[in-house]
Amino acid sequence: MKIAFFDTHQFDKKAFNKANQNFNLDIQFHETCLNEKTARLAQGTQVVCSFVNDKITDACIKELASYGVRLIALRCAGFNHVDIVSAQKQGVLVARVPSYSPHAVAEFATGMLLSLNRKIHRAYLRVKELNFSLDGLEGFDLYQKTVGVIGGGKIGNIFAHIMTSFGCHVLMYDIVKDPELEKNKSIKYTDLENLFCQSDVISLHLPLTPETHHIIDQVSISKMKEGVYIINTGRGSLIDSIALIEGLKNKKIAGAALDVYEEEENIFFQDLSDKILQDDTLARLLSFPNVLVTSHQAFLTKEALQNIAVTTLENIEEFIKTGSVTTERLVNPKHHLQ
Ligand code: NAI
């Protein structure tokens, strides 16, 4: 049986071809994203494999189901881009890779914070132009600062511990408390209001759900400290980009590091260097010297790619052999609607 892989890039072809030596599945790599218009490429297969920027809407799922697709194997952890309720109605299973390297993302968030604060990205460009001046490159010590972590799951947990190793105080907000986390005396759970008021740096490590959509908006920004730094390696729509731009313009927000962006689907992962950028909001964000944007790359380590490839191929192989996938790797609609 052919497996149709969508939105594939050199980095994942390499990892999947290597991992597939132990599975021997018949993989068909497509560069295009999966959406209702491209779903027809799945004709003749029961399994499609999708990444973060595919648009797996109700219409797309109906189309896939009409061709006999029975499994959407996500090669990512997040599943906000899939209409899970529709998949359930159409009898299409959705499997994911619940964890592949939380360290990769937490370490990248740390790197973004360091670069943004200490202006490393600006210094790199300056020195290339033989400009060795230091004016405008001042940062601040992270030591003794308060870092608010929103979402203390696998990634938020590791990020919080990294921050404590810098001598920071961590304020954590999560709907579920992990008693292990507070064994570290520098980490305290708090409510969202207090986290917004007290934090010098806020880092987002939440899934995107109806409840977390625009968790950073005009109202929450108004509660934050003057000069706050915001780091987002979670999902773009956790932040209202227009409110973020306003906060940057009036200098309430001193800097933002964004690995994800609300409208990234048709932009991130592509070389648009000879095109005219049509997204004015992203163009405005890119114009700030104190905004660091990366193209959803926090996951991109050798270890993470290998884990993603092996777990995804295991999910597909299990489905082919048994007609289902291990429960922990199946996306549960109730979970999605929490
Ligand atoms: P996780 O499931 O281990 O942790 C998520 C945490 O968020 C959980 O502790 C959960 O209780 C909490 N949470 C859920 N809804 C909440 C709410 N309404 N309010 C407060 N807390 C809430 O997930 P993990 O592995 O830590 O990943 C976090 C997110 O990071 C993913 O959902 C994904 O969107 C993003 N991610 C980004 C990557 C990148 O390359 N930039 C790569 C991998 C994940």
Side-chain angles (χ1 to χ4, degrees), residues 4-63:
F5 275 54
F6 287 85
D7 194 17
T8 54
H9 304 267
Q10 271 179 25
F11 62 81
D12 42 14
K13 278 182 200 161
K14 193 172 144 203
F16 273 93
N17 281 334
K18 186 167 174 224
N20 198 28
Q21 288 170 4
N22 295 325
F23 292 86
N24 285 318
L25 294 170
D26 186 2
I27 298 178
Q28 221 177 17
F29 291 112
H30 298 291
E31 286 176 11
T32 181
C33 281
L34 173 58
N35 55 44
E36 65 178 280
K37 291 193 182 114
T38 60
R40 64 189 160 73
L41 291 168
Q43 274 174 0
T45 175
Q46 287 186 9
V47 182
V48 295
C49 181
S50 141
F51 199 37
V52 289
N53 284 332
D54 293 325
K55 270 203 156 62
I56 311 180
T57 56
D58 179 48
C60 176
I61 291 168
K62 282 181 179 150
E63 189 86 3

Side-chain angles (χ1 to χ4, degrees), residues 100 153-155 174-175 205-207 212 233 235 259 296 299:
Y100 39 87
K154 292 179 283 297
I155 297 169
D174 198 303
I175 40 171
H205 300 287
L206 290 160
T212 63
T233 57
R235 282 291 180 267
D259 184 49
H296 204 140
F299 73 99

Side-chain angles (χ1 to χ4, degrees), residues 134-175:
L134 295 182
D135 289 335
L137 298 185
E138 187 183 304
F140 61 86
D141 287 7
L142 282 170
Y143 179 67
Q144 295 285 293
K145 295 295 184 298
T146 300
V147 177
V149 178
I150 308 186
K154 292 179 283 297
I155 297 169
N157 190 314
I158 295 167
F159 180 76
H161 282 99
I162 296 175
M163 289 297 103
T164 64
S165 69
F166 278 89
C168 298
H169 309 291
V170 172
L171 291 176
M172 172 71 77
Y173 172 72
D174 198 303
I175 40 171

Side-chain angles (χ1 to χ4, degrees), residues 86-123:
S86 164
Q88 196 184 31
K89 274 193 202 147
Q90 299 300 325
V92 177
L93 291 174
V94 181
R96 64 177 182 138
V97 183
S99 177
Y100 39 87
S101 175
H103 292 277
V105 184
E107 288 170 13
F108 192 82
T110 309
M112 288 193 105
L113 170 58
L114 289 173
S115 183
L116 185 68
N117 167 23
R118 303 306 302 274
K119 324 299 194 260
I120 298 170
H121 56 299
R122 298 189 66 200

